[in-house]
Amino acid sequence: MLAALEAHQIWEKREKEGPLYPFGMKRDDPGGEQIWRAWWNDQIRICALSHELTDAAIAKIRSLPAI
């Protein structure tokens, strides 16, 4: 469960920060779209990982014997 929460936390922090453009570059600048696309693809990967880890944590909790 901790791994799922940490993955979500990483995704959320990066989502708030956005892509890291060098020297004030923007998405519309030459090369900016490529930086944004790499950031976006990594965000999708981290989000999917967060979902997978969450599903695994829930399944593990549900498999525990009732107390």
Side-chain angles (χ1 to χ4, degrees):
M1 185 179 300
L2 180 59
L5 294 170
E6 288 173 337
H8 183 268
Q9 192 174 47
I10 290 167
W11 172 85
E12 185 175 30
K13 180 179 184 276
R14 289 174 44 101
E15 189 70 18
K16 288 177 184 175
E17 292 172 350
L20 301 174
Y21 295 106
F23 310 111
M25 179 189 282
K26 298 177 186 169
R27 183 176 176 185
D28 294 338
D29 294 336
E33 177 69 21
Q34 184 178 5
I35 292 169
W36 180 87
R37 181 68 53 195
W39 170 84
W40 177 258
N41 288 337
D42 203 37
Q43 285 298 91
I44 296 294
R45 182 190 63 78
I46 294 168
C47 187
L49 175 61
S50 178
H51 284 278
E52 291 171 18
L53 292 169
T54 298
D55 290 346
I58 289 170
K60 185 167 189 149
I61 290 168
R62 287 186 174 151
S63 73
L64 296 174
I67 297 176

